[in-house]
Short mmCIF file of all heavy atoms in Angstrom, two decimals:
data_model
loop_
_atom_site.label_atom_id
_atom_site.label_comp_id
_atom_site.label_asym_id
_atom_site.label_seq_id
_atom_site.Cartn_x
_atom_site.Cartn_y
_atom_site.Cartn_z
N PHE B 70 -23.08 -27.22 -11.80
CA PHE B 70 -23.30 -25.83 -11.42
C PHE B 70 -24.44 -25.24 -12.26
O PHE B 70 -24.59 -25.55 -13.44
CB PHE B 70 -22.04 -24.99 -11.68
CG PHE B 70 -20.89 -25.27 -10.77
CD1 PHE B 70 -19.93 -26.21 -11.13
CD2 PHE B 70 -20.75 -24.61 -9.56
CE1 PHE B 70 -18.86 -26.48 -10.30
CE2 PHE B 70 -19.67 -24.87 -8.73
CZ PHE B 70 -18.72 -25.81 -9.09
N SER B 71 -25.20 -24.35 -11.64
CA SER B 71 -26.17 -23.58 -12.40
C SER B 71 -26.35 -22.22 -11.72
O SER B 71 -26.07 -22.08 -10.53
CB SER B 71 -27.51 -24.31 -12.52
OG SER B 71 -28.08 -24.52 -11.24
N VAL B 72 -26.78 -21.24 -12.50
CA VAL B 72 -27.05 -19.92 -11.96
C VAL B 72 -28.45 -19.51 -12.37
O VAL B 72 -28.98 -19.96 -13.40
CB VAL B 72 -26.03 -18.85 -12.42
CG1 VAL B 72 -24.68 -19.08 -11.77
CG2 VAL B 72 -25.93 -18.80 -13.93
N GLU B 73 -29.02 -18.62 -11.57
CA GLU B 73 -30.38 -18.19 -11.83
C GLU B 73 -30.58 -16.81 -11.25
O GLU B 73 -29.95 -16.44 -10.24
CB GLU B 73 -31.34 -19.19 -11.14
CG GLU B 73 -32.77 -19.07 -11.57
CD GLU B 73 -33.65 -20.12 -10.91
OE1 GLU B 73 -33.38 -20.48 -9.74
OE2 GLU B 73 -34.61 -20.55 -11.55
N ARG B 74 -31.44 -16.05 -11.92
CA ARG B 74 -31.89 -14.78 -11.35
C ARG B 74 -33.39 -14.93 -11.19
O ARG B 74 -34.16 -14.58 -12.07
CB ARG B 74 -31.52 -13.64 -12.29
CG ARG B 74 -31.73 -12.28 -11.70
CD ARG B 74 -30.78 -11.29 -12.35
NE ARG B 74 -31.20 -9.89 -12.18
CZ ARG B 74 -30.97 -9.18 -11.09
NH1 ARG B 74 -30.35 -9.69 -10.06
NH2 ARG B 74 -31.37 -7.93 -11.03
N PRO B 75 -33.82 -15.49 -10.05
CA PRO B 75 -35.22 -15.88 -9.88
C PRO B 75 -36.20 -14.70 -9.81
O PRO B 75 -37.37 -14.86 -10.11
CB PRO B 75 -35.21 -16.67 -8.58
CG PRO B 75 -34.01 -16.19 -7.83
CD PRO B 75 -33.00 -15.82 -8.86
N ASP B 76 -35.68 -13.53 -9.42
CA ASP B 76 -36.55 -12.34 -9.37
C ASP B 76 -35.68 -11.15 -9.76
O ASP B 76 -34.58 -11.33 -10.25
CB ASP B 76 -37.18 -12.20 -7.98
CG ASP B 76 -36.12 -12.23 -6.89
OD1 ASP B 76 -35.06 -11.61 -7.06
OD2 ASP B 76 -36.34 -12.90 -5.87
N GLY B 77 -36.17 -9.96 -9.52
CA GLY B 77 -35.41 -8.79 -9.98
C GLY B 77 -34.23 -8.43 -9.13
O GLY B 77 -33.47 -7.53 -9.49
N SER B 78 -34.02 -9.16 -8.01
CA SER B 78 -32.95 -8.72 -7.13
C SER B 78 -31.93 -9.81 -6.79
O SER B 78 -30.77 -9.51 -6.60
CB SER B 78 -33.53 -8.15 -5.83
OG SER B 78 -34.32 -9.12 -5.17
N ASN B 79 -32.34 -11.06 -6.75
CA ASN B 79 -31.42 -12.11 -6.33
C ASN B 79 -30.70 -12.76 -7.50
O ASN B 79 -31.22 -12.82 -8.62
CB ASN B 79 -32.19 -13.19 -5.55
CG ASN B 79 -32.66 -12.68 -4.20
OD1 ASN B 79 -31.88 -12.53 -3.29
ND2 ASN B 79 -33.96 -12.39 -4.11
N PHE B 80 -29.51 -13.26 -7.21
CA PHE B 80 -28.72 -14.00 -8.19
C PHE B 80 -28.13 -15.18 -7.43
O PHE B 80 -27.47 -14.99 -6.40
CB PHE B 80 -27.63 -13.08 -8.75
CG PHE B 80 -26.72 -13.70 -9.76
CD1 PHE B 80 -27.22 -14.38 -10.87
CD2 PHE B 80 -25.35 -13.57 -9.65
CE1 PHE B 80 -26.38 -14.93 -11.81
CE2 PHE B 80 -24.48 -14.13 -10.59
CZ PHE B 80 -25.01 -14.81 -11.67
N THR B 81 -28.43 -16.40 -7.89
CA THR B 81 -28.04 -17.57 -7.11
C THR B 81 -27.09 -18.47 -7.89
O THR B 81 -27.13 -18.53 -9.13
CB THR B 81 -29.26 -18.40 -6.70
OG1 THR B 81 -29.94 -18.86 -7.87
CG2 THR B 81 -30.23 -17.57 -5.85
N LEU B 82 -26.26 -19.17 -7.13
CA LEU B 82 -25.40 -20.22 -7.66
C LEU B 82 -25.80 -21.52 -6.98
O LEU B 82 -25.79 -21.60 -5.75
CB LEU B 82 -23.92 -19.91 -7.38
CG LEU B 82 -22.91 -20.99 -7.76
CD1 LEU B 82 -22.80 -21.12 -9.28
CD2 LEU B 82 -21.52 -20.70 -7.18
N LYS B 83 -26.15 -22.53 -7.78
CA LYS B 83 -26.51 -23.82 -7.23
C LYS B 83 -25.44 -24.83 -7.60
O LYS B 83 -25.00 -24.88 -8.76
CB LYS B 83 -27.85 -24.28 -7.79
CG LYS B 83 -28.34 -25.60 -7.18
CD LYS B 83 -29.50 -26.21 -7.97
CE LYS B 83 -30.78 -25.45 -7.79
NZ LYS B 83 -31.94 -26.16 -8.41
N ILE B 84 -25.04 -25.59 -6.61
CA ILE B 84 -24.15 -26.72 -6.86
C ILE B 84 -24.97 -27.97 -6.53
O ILE B 84 -25.39 -28.17 -5.38
CB ILE B 84 -22.86 -26.66 -6.00
CG1 ILE B 84 -22.20 -25.30 -6.12
CG2 ILE B 84 -21.89 -27.76 -6.45
CD1 ILE B 84 -20.99 -25.10 -5.21
N ARG B 85 -25.20 -28.81 -7.53
CA ARG B 85 -26.17 -29.91 -7.40
C ARG B 85 -25.70 -31.00 -6.46
O ARG B 85 -26.44 -31.46 -5.61
CB ARG B 85 -26.48 -30.52 -8.77
CG ARG B 85 -27.72 -29.96 -9.40
CD ARG B 85 -27.95 -30.61 -10.75
NE ARG B 85 -27.39 -29.82 -11.83
CZ ARG B 85 -27.90 -28.66 -12.25
NH1 ARG B 85 -28.97 -28.16 -11.73
NH2 ARG B 85 -27.31 -27.99 -13.23
N SER B 86 -24.52 -31.46 -6.62
CA SER B 86 -24.02 -32.59 -5.83
C SER B 86 -22.59 -32.24 -5.44
O SER B 86 -21.64 -32.46 -6.21
CB SER B 86 -24.06 -33.87 -6.67
OG SER B 86 -23.50 -34.94 -5.95
N THR B 87 -22.44 -31.68 -4.25
CA THR B 87 -21.15 -31.11 -3.87
C THR B 87 -20.08 -32.18 -3.70
O THR B 87 -20.36 -33.31 -3.27
CB THR B 87 -21.29 -30.31 -2.57
OG1 THR B 87 -21.97 -31.12 -1.59
CG2 THR B 87 -22.04 -29.02 -2.79
N LYS B 88 -18.86 -31.77 -4.04
CA LYS B 88 -17.69 -32.62 -3.85
C LYS B 88 -16.75 -31.94 -2.88
O LYS B 88 -16.84 -30.71 -2.68
CB LYS B 88 -16.97 -32.82 -5.19
CG LYS B 88 -17.82 -33.38 -6.29
CD LYS B 88 -17.07 -33.36 -7.61
CE LYS B 88 -18.03 -33.66 -8.75
NZ LYS B 88 -17.49 -33.25 -10.05
N LEU B 89 -15.83 -32.71 -2.34
CA LEU B 89 -14.87 -32.13 -1.41
C LEU B 89 -14.11 -30.96 -2.04
O LEU B 89 -13.87 -29.94 -1.38
CB LEU B 89 -13.87 -33.19 -0.93
CG LEU B 89 -14.43 -34.33 -0.08
CD1 LEU B 89 -13.35 -35.35 0.22
CD2 LEU B 89 -15.03 -33.81 1.22
#
Side-chain angles (χ1 to χ4, degrees):
Chain B
F70 290 92
S71 61
V72 289
E73 193 177 34
R74 189 153 161 81
D76 53 42
S78 58
N79 290 286
F80 180 50
T81 61
L82 174 70
K83 183 194 288 188
I84 309 175
R85 264 180 266 288
S86 177
T87 50
K88 304 172 191 162
L89 294 176

